[in-house]
Amino acid sequence: MLCEIAPDVERLYNRHLDAPRLWFPHEQIDWGQGESFTERPWCESDYPLSAGVRSSIYVNLLTEDNLPYYTSSLLRHAPKDHPILDWNHQWTMEENRHAMVMRDWVHISRCIDPTLLEVGRRVQMSKGEVPEPETFADLIAYVSLQERATQIAHRNTGAKLPKDDKTGRNVLGLIAGDETKHYLFYRDLTLAAFAIDPSTMMIATAKQITAFAMPGTGIPAFTRHAVRISREGIYGLGQFLKDVVTPVLGLWDVDHLAGLSAEAEKARASLDAVLAKITESVERMAQKAASLAPVVA
Ligand SMILES: [Fe+2]
Ligand SMILES: [Fe+2]
């Protein structure tokens, strides 16, 4: 697979480079707004926000902080002299600015507690916990989903910020734009891999969708934050189904793949069953939310 897909990696990497996004982290911040945390310690009323949006900023930023371990996980599948290695370097260079600009904005705007954030970063990074896809096929299927999910999470968080925080909205929009381009690279690389070996990719896709979880399991109180983020309507099972899985599987056209091995057919059937269960859960949650909503006369 790695050998056969090399020309597609080059093609998609060149396409990525042909549409550069040359934004600079230092230009996005209004530095004059900053205040000393020593003279005026952080307090919640500095930037009123719901708990779900605060959790989302915290989890999304810590996930970006964990970049070194994602890079090392990706490099395990990048042999020397293969073009995927160049892509990984480019990807790392672009991802690196996400935590930079987000933290600058967080500190200047005081939107979340900087001490809590730093404690979280220390805990998370000293564990180095990231998903470790077993094979190259697993990796590209997983990262396609993950880049798309990350794009949705940043975009929806930005939309929940107060209208007058133009810097915050702009910063999260820029990051979501980068994630879109990363998603397009992996999505189309996976599409090319389906053309090379549909059975292997079907098995990998079913496995990755079934086991998919947003990155961040090493973050303190991750589950509590994930529940808040989902309740806020930023990212949860509903977004995973509607905004991640449905468009990705549609583009890979998994329903119409022909010539699959028996094992791959089994994987496709198990994926259908998993998707039916997710759909059912999402509908149940929507009904519950509707029944709890206040009746407006
Ligand atoms: Fe990122
Ligand atoms: Fe990304």
Side-chain angles (χ1 to χ4, degrees), residues 63 70 73-74 130-150 183 186 190 201 204-205 207-209 211-216 240 244 252:
T63 304
Y70 287 98
S73 168
L74 295 184
V130 286
E132 301 277 358
E134 261 175 73
T135 64
F136 181 73
D138 287 325
L139 172 82
I140 56 178
Y142 168 75
V143 187
S144 302
L145 301 167
Q146 190 243 300
E147 290 285 2
R148 175 70 175 168
T150 311
Y183 160 63
Y186 282 111
T190 305
M201 287 316 303
T205 299
K207 189 164 122 194
Q208 296 308 318
I209 289 181
F212 188 80
M214 271 302 257
F240 177 60
V244 179
W252 294 340

Side-chain angles (χ1 to χ4, degrees), residues 64 95 98 175 179:
E64 298 287 355
E95 288 288 352
H98 294 171
I175 297 173
E179 308 298 12

Side-chain angles (χ1 to χ4, degrees), residues 106-124:
V106 161
H107 284 164
I108 293 282
S109 69
R110 295 178 167 244
C111 63
I112 59 173
D113 180 352
T115 306
L116 189 77
L117 178 67
E118 178 60 6
V119 170
R121 191 190 68 83
R122 286 180 183 209
V123 171
Q124 185 201 24

Side-chain angles (χ1 to χ4, degrees), residues 12 39 44 57 75 85 129 135 166 176 195 206 228 245:
L12 294 168
E39 285 168 25
E44 217 173 307
I57 296 166
L75 289 177
L85 195 59
E129 197 175 306
T135 64
K166 291 197 173 59
R228 283 183 190 160
V245 170

Side-chain angles (χ1 to χ4, degrees), residues 256-296:
H256 302 105
L257 290 175
L260 293 182
S261 66
E263 196 191 344
E265 284 292 5
K266 220 170 124 189
R268 179 158 59 183
S270 78
L271 177 60
D272 282 345
V274 167
L275 293 178
K277 262 193 193 160
I278 297 177
T279 307
E280 219 176 273
S281 303
V282 170
E283 281 168 0
R284 217 178 313 122
M285 285 188 308
Q287 275 166 7
K288 200 175 159 197
S291 70
L292 292 174
V295 179
V296 180

Side-chain angles (χ1 to χ4, degrees), residues 230 235-244 278 282 285:
S230 174
Y235 185 87
L237 209 52
Q239 286 76 17
F240 177 60
L241 182 69
K242 179 172 156 282
D243 297 328
V244 179
I278 297 177
V282 170
M285 285 188 308

